[in-house]
Amino acid sequence: MISARNKTRLLKTLLICVGLVPFLLLLLATLNDQLGANAIQTLHFSLGDWALRFLMIGLALTPIKIITQQAWPLRYRRILGLLAFFYASLHVLVYVALDLSWSWAAFVDEVPKSPYILVGLLTYLILVPLAMTSTKAMQKRLARRWLTLHKLVYVAALTACLHYLWLVKLDISQPLIYLGLWLVLISIRVYRLKTG
Amino acid sequence: MKPTIHTQSNALRAEITDKAVFESRRAFIKSTAMLSAGLMLPSLGQAQAELNDKLTITAREHVTHYTNYYEFSTNKQDATELAKPLITKPWRVEVSGEIEKPGLYHLDDILKANAIEERIYRFRCVEAWSMVVPWLGFPLGEMLARFKPTSRAKFVEFTTLYNPEIMIAQRSTILDWPYVEGLRMDEAMHPLTILATGMYGEDLPNQNGAPLRLIVPWKYGFKSIKAIVKIHFRETLPDTAWHKSAPSEYGFYANVNPEVSHPRWSQSRERVLGASIFTPKRATELFNGYGQQVASLYTGMDLTRSI
């Protein structure tokens, strides 16, 4: 028999492995030149998609806990948050390194002209301190303030949705689905707070 | 002065159906160009080499799998499959409005009257990417002149086929269907403006706008309307599809201009389709590099206002 603690550890490892599958597939596609006509954009958008997906799954854990009345979902919040941060970091890296080719001039030209990039940048700037303070040690050190700080993830998820919504040319169905999901996940929390 | 047209050959339709011939001709042009460039001869070959260098043709595979064909899908990869059921033969074009010879014309008859030639143009999308495509087609102006436009013809309006059975995204309301585009008369008559019927030495694939599409190389790609069924000459400005959908973002002129940003993104640079991921974006040129030929059309116009 595996102990409960070992079981959680195993599931966490499994979650990390599964979470890295999209990255490995994208890496393979990049190396094999299978990203299509606009390779950088395909890579950039896919990484952004995965960052948003993991952010949303992470946000869904507390509602799942509320609904199922079980504590286990909360154990996976850190991993999901860090997976989201991992994909968001690669998303930003692809933009700066490949799309802008590290050109400061291009950055200065493009970013102010694109409200959606500004919102995306803001999202990432929110995620950085959250990832930095994700360790158990930091959690202890910051004590109560840690919880307050990490509430910022709701804001980051919202700005991530707006970032997506703002860049789309015409068909806004995808970003609206994410935005709707965000609303539902937040509503469950708010409802819980009100009813105690 | 006669404008320079980036044309590499004037071929009859019958001669260009063979792709192998097309490829070998291209290889020949390239090798002779490189040879003369290598010998430092200030010859036509060198000019050709410079032109080739400036216009590196995009792999056909990319051009056929990256299309904005919203009648089928908003996903650029999807139209390749979804457009297959579209029947493009026979095809008729209704020509109407301020002309002496209105009527319903069979595409076959139009093609008989217009010699097909190849034009290698850079195609710049409003989404800040570009590709270089060897189109097959004929000058729009020469065809329009035969319909004898009257003095009241100030604009030409083009309409795409409306067939929601096949063009499945026309069942949605993302754009006001059918797609409509238009040109000012002088833009339509300009020798760089063509109606394309093919690319890469073959007929146009359905997803690229078969059987008949517009190509206006100095304007953003959305002006180059696909699957044309109507050509209407009118006195007033046509209300075009993207302009109707977002007037502040997509103007009637839509001339490529690195200085005028889209309200949501910069237009100063463009991603070249098919380039390696480490290739930097190229600087976008005013009028997509065709300024020498077309800038005079807009003398006295404020290009930052008339977008």
Side-chain angles (χ1 to χ4, degrees):
Chain A
M1 276 300 284
I2 326 170
S3 69
R5 175 181 268 212
N6 278 343
K7 200 176 146 197
T8 304
R9 204 170 281 171
L10 196 72
L11 282 171
K12 280 185 177 172
T13 315
L14 197 68
L15 181 60
I16 295 171
C17 291
V18 172
L20 291 176
V21 168
F23 166 70
L24 291 174
L25 290 177
L26 281 171
L27 190 66
L28 266 176
T30 309
L31 295 174
N32 291 324
D33 204 9
Q34 286 169 337
L35 292 169
N38 201 340
I40 294 175
Q41 194 178 68
T42 306
L43 196 61
H44 184 58
F45 283 4
S46 305
L47 291 165
D49 275 339
W50 283 107
L52 189 53
R53 281 173 198 143
F54 283 116
L55 210 53
M56 286 295 169
I57 300 172
L59 276 187
L61 295 177
T62 300
I64 291 174
K65 186 205 110 181
I66 293 171
I67 292 163
T68 62
Q69 308 264 333
Q70 295 198 21
W72 66 264
L74 299 191
R75 289 180 205 135
Y76 305 99
R77 280 189 302 188
R78 177 181 289 126
I79 291 172
L80 284 163
L82 286 173
L83 279 170
F85 180 71
F86 173 69
Y87 284 100
S89 301
L90 289 174
H91 177 71
V92 172
L93 182 70
V94 166
Y95 178 64
V96 175
L98 300 182
D99 201 70
L100 298 179
S101 310
W102 297 109
S103 157
W104 177 247
F107 182 87
V108 170
D109 170 66
E110 281 192 14
V111 177
K113 287 178 186 168
S114 300
Y116 74 90
I117 300 181
L118 280 169
V119 174
L121 215 58
L122 172 74
T123 307
Y124 190 66
L125 290 178
I126 297 174
L127 291 179
V128 171
L130 301 193
M132 296 294 181
T133 56
S134 65
T135 59
K136 275 204 175 112
M138 283 308 282
Q139 203 169 354
K140 268 190 193 144
R141 233 172 91 181
L142 291 172
R144 226 168 237 207
R145 281 172 298 162
W146 191 90
L147 270 180
T148 318
L149 178 67
H150 280 250
K151 290 238 156 57
L152 279 176
V153 75
Y154 308 139
V155 181
L158 178 66
T159 53
C161 290
L162 294 178
H163 167 61
Y164 191 1
L165 185 72
W166 221 335
L167 86 91
V168 172
K169 227 167 94 191
L170 205 58
D171 183 7
I172 54 171
S173 56
Q174 284 280 331
L176 281 186
I177 289 172
Y178 281 109
L179 210 55
L181 191 63
W182 182 87
L183 260 175
V184 170
L185 297 177
I186 296 304
S187 304
I188 295 173
R189 285 179 168 81
V190 172
Y191 177 77
R192 177 72 173 178
L193 276 176
K194 282 196 173 161
T195 56
Chain B
M1 195 189 82
K2 231 187 148 194
T4 324
I5 298 172
H6 294 176
T7 305
Q8 292 198 326
S9 70
N10 290 302
L12 289 171
R13 197 174 171 75
E15 288 173 14
I16 41 116
T17 41
D18 189 337
K19 199 165 181 228
V21 172
F22 171 79
E23 296 291 354
S24 66
R25 193 179 62 223
R26 164 136 314 118
F28 174 74
I29 292 169
K30 214 172 169 181
S31 60
T32 48
M34 286 194 306
L35 183 68
S36 51
L39 294 169
M40 298 296 274
L41 293 173
S43 64
L44 193 70
Q46 189 168 355
Q48 188 65 67
E50 278 163 17
L51 191 65
N52 279 354
D53 179 50
K54 227 185 136 205
L55 290 171
T56 308
I57 292 172
T58 307
R60 185 180 184 276
E61 176 75 8
H62 292 321
V63 181
T64 55
H65 288 77
Y66 198 78
T67 55
N68 272 325
Y69 207 158
Y70 281 24
E71 279 80 353
F72 291 100
S73 170
T74 51
N75 182 320
K76 293 183 182 58
Q77 284 80 42
D78 290 352
T80 310
E81 240 354 87
L82 293 173
K84 276 185 180 158
L86 183 70
I87 295 162
T88 57
K89 267 178 198 160
W91 192 269
R92 291 186 301 184
V93 182
E94 187 193 322
V95 186
S96 61
E98 307 293 346
I99 44 169
E100 287 173 25
K101 291 176 156 185
L104 200 55
Y105 292 85
H106 281 278
L107 183 56
D108 286 343
D109 296 331
I110 293 176
L111 292 177
K112 266 178 226 156
N114 295 279
I116 299 291
E117 52 187 282
E118 183 178 82
R119 298 279 179 95
I120 299 174
Y121 285 153
R122 174 169 285 116
F123 181 100
R124 168 62 156 83
C125 179
V126 75
E127 294 167 11
W129 53 264
S130 70
M131 57 187 183
V132 177
V133 183
W135 302 104
L136 296 173
F138 53 88
L140 172 70
E142 289 177 19
M143 181 187 87
L144 295 188
R146 280 188 222 112
F147 300 130
K148 305 244 178 259
T150 69
S151 60
R152 284 160 62 139
K154 301 281 192 316
F155 297 93
V156 196
E157 178 185 281
F158 304 87
T159 309
T160 296
L161 175 70
Y162 179 70
N163 183 354
E165 298 266 310
I166 309 273
M167 297 176 142
I168 50 170
Q170 285 180 335
R171 297 173 202 168
S172 78
T173 53
I174 43 167
L175 283 172
D176 187 6
W177 310 113
Y179 195 91
V180 168
E181 257 310 334
L183 294 172
R184 215 170 56 188
M185 208 58 197
D186 57 344
E187 297 174 324
M189 299 307 288
H190 194 281
L192 282 187
T193 308
I194 60 165
L195 280 178
T197 56
M199 59 183 209
Y200 297 86
E202 294 173 3
D203 283 342
L204 272 181
N206 282 358
Q207 71 271 26
N208 291 94
L212 188 69
R213 71 170 298 170
L214 185 67
I215 292 294
V216 196
W218 70 94
K219 292 177 182 283
Y220 291 122
F222 68 87
K223 293 296 288 181
S224 294
I225 182 169
K226 301 184 182 83
I228 297 167
V229 290
K230 277 186 204 164
I231 299 176
H232 185 72
F233 293 73
R234 47 188 288 171
E235 200 170 9
T236 53
L237 193 78
D239 203 0
T240 53
W242 277 98
H243 184 256
K244 268 191 272 187
S245 129
S248 65
E249 301 196 348
Y250 310 100
F252 172 79
Y253 287 100
N255 290 320
V256 175
N257 190 341
E259 301 295 322
V260 179
S261 314
H262 183 277
R264 290 183 284 144
W265 58 81
S266 162
Q267 294 289 21
S268 12
R269 275 168 293 274
E270 66 207 37
R271 172 68 53 211
V272 178
L273 293 192
S276 116
I277 56 168
F278 299 108
T279 310
K281 283 190 264 195
R282 75 181 288 279
T284 292
E285 297 171 74
L286 180 62
F287 298 115
N288 203 21
Y290 301 96
Q292 228 182 332
Q293 293 94 329
V294 302
S296 60
L297 295 175
Y298 308 100
T299 313
M301 249 174 74
D302 183 354
L303 294 175
T304 61
R305 285 173 165 270
S306 303
I307 60 162

